[in-house]
Amino acid sequence: MTAPIESYRAHATPLFADVAGDIDVSFEFFPPKTEKMEETLWESIETLSPLHPRFVSVTYGAGGSTRERTHNTVARIARETAIPAAAHLTCVDATKEEIDRIAQDYWQAGVRHIVALRGDPPRAGEKYQTHPGGYENAADLVAGLTKLHPFEISVAAYPECHPDSPHAAADLDNLKRKIDNGATRAITQFFFEPDTFFRFRDDAAKAGIDAEIVPGIMPVMNYASVVRMSGMCGTQVPGWMERLFEGLDDRPAARQLVSATLAAELSRRLYAGGVRQFHFYTLNRAELAYAICHLLGVRPR
């Protein structure tokens, strides 16, 4: 029976199946460390701006190591562009008063969206501990932010369970607390199989979580780096990915073409499963994110 099925696919399916144009996208950047990186970041924002993203977010280094650069970048986006800007904010190495003051500064700068995270330990290998006088976790941080201003608040979700969670049920309980405390939506950690997201979405619904859950899409810039990051956050890397990217270490242009195609196909399958919002981890590389969006039918308006 295999041959007739494959023959049907070869003849009956279009090479490119356009989607309905009902996708919303958002993009994540990290704050620049040098003038050259800042120039690249702003070129990226200018490239992606015509796609009218719902928002762009800017990350926050471990232990607040990029606190000032994150604030300056987010404030500039809010000041100089029409794109809604979201600032990452963590609980690490700061008291509640210090974090509240940072959030107040964002509000004064015109930033109305916070990505509220527990954050990683400031030093690699250490176990996370609540800072004395600080917010205990992301759920606690969300509750604190809602008392300050009517922020739009995004939080993290882990389709394959947070490494510090004892099991998936506890992880879902934690996500529900974040939503119940006032979070607007959850954005997932990156993953590489569509069923990973679909299973998680179903489990979240069974747990009583009815907020929007947005898949986080990570294009593969460098396979070794993705394997390293996946090991840190508990993401499974399917065996076929190693074969797919084998031999492309010294061919960045070819690797980028493969990466864009792979991320677009993952997104297309998620779309077929009802997903209409996507969050792209750009790593400050606009052309790759732009190509993926183009393949999904997200075009300048």
Side-chain angles (χ1 to χ4, degrees):
M1 294 297 293
T2 303
I5 292 174
E6 291 301 324
S7 177
Y8 172 80
R9 287 177 178 167
H11 293 285
T13 57
L15 288 175
F16 175 71
D18 212 349
V19 296
D22 53 350
I23 289 176
D24 289 315
V25 297
S26 54
F27 303 107
E28 181 176 296
F29 300 99
F30 59 82
K33 295 180 180 179
T34 65
E35 287 187 11
K36 178 61 177 176
M37 290 174 70
E38 183 166 4
E39 183 179 325
T40 299
L41 169 64
W42 286 98
E43 288 174 354
S44 298
I45 291 173
E46 289 175 0
T47 296
L48 296 172
S49 178
L51 302 182
H52 292 275
R54 288 205 295 173
F55 62 88
V56 297
S57 67
V58 181
T59 61
Y60 195 76
S65 57
T66 66
R67 183 177 298 166
E68 185 174 346
R69 286 187 281 115
T70 296
H71 183 277
N72 292 342
T73 302
V74 175
R76 183 179 172 188
I77 293 171
R79 185 174 63 249
E80 297 183 13
T81 79
I83 308 171
H88 286 220
L89 190 57
T90 74
C91 305
V92 179
D93 269 3
T95 65
K96 290 182 180 181
E97 290 74 18
E98 290 170 327
I99 292 173
D100 288 354
R101 188 161 54 249
I102 294 168
Q104 295 281 19
D105 289 343
Y106 278 127
W107 188 268
Q108 294 302 319
V111 177
R112 299 293 183 264
H113 187 170
I114 298 290
V115 180
L117 309 165
R118 187 202 72 176
D120 296 321
R123 288 159 289 279
E126 289 187 355
K127 185 176 177 61
Y128 179 84
Q129 292 184 331
T130 301
H131 186 74
Y135 287 107
E136 181 180 355
N137 50 35
D140 194 22
L141 174 58
V142 170
L145 290 171
T146 61
K147 294 175 183 177
L148 297 176
H149 295 289
F151 282 111
E152 180 179 354
I153 302 174
S154 296
V155 294
Y158 294 82
E160 295 168 271
C161 195
H162 191 284
D164 291 347
S165 292
H167 46 72
D171 205 40
L172 282 170
D173 287 344
N174 184 48
L175 176 58
K176 191 172 189 308
R177 282 193 296 273
K178 291 188 279 190
I179 299 300
D180 290 347
N181 284 358
T184 311
R185 73 178 57 79
I187 301 171
T188 75
Q189 181 60 272
F190 63 88
F191 56 91
F192 298 112
E193 299 279 15
D195 280 348
T196 301
F197 178 81
F198 294 139
R199 283 193 298 268
F200 178 73
R201 186 178 63 180
D202 291 345
D203 290 342
K206 291 175 185 175
I209 297 168
D210 57 4
E212 176 185 305
I213 299 179
V214 180
I217 307 298
M218 171 77 82
V220 180
M221 303 286 188
N222 178 286
Y223 178 73
S225 295
V226 164
V227 170
R228 184 173 63 252
M229 286 188 290
S230 297
M232 294 169 60
C233 64
T235 297
Q236 294 296 313
V237 180
W240 53 260
M241 279 188 64
E242 182 176 9
R243 299 192 300 276
L244 182 63
F245 287 96
E246 184 179 6
L248 297 181
D249 288 349
D250 299 323
R251 295 185 176 277
R255 186 174 66 242
Q256 185 157 299
L257 291 170
V258 172
S259 181
T261 304
L262 177 62
E265 180 60 22
L266 172 60
S267 301
R268 186 179 298 281
R269 294 194 184 193
L270 293 171
Y271 179 90
V275 175
R276 295 296 181 269
Q277 288 81 32
F278 296 86
H279 185 74
F280 293 99
Y281 300 109
T282 70
L283 301 180
N284 293 14
R285 303 290 182 87
E287 289 300 325
L288 185 52
Y290 192 98
I292 296 165
C293 290
H294 184 89
L295 287 168
L296 293 172
V298 179
R299 309 289 170 84
R301 299 195 301 270

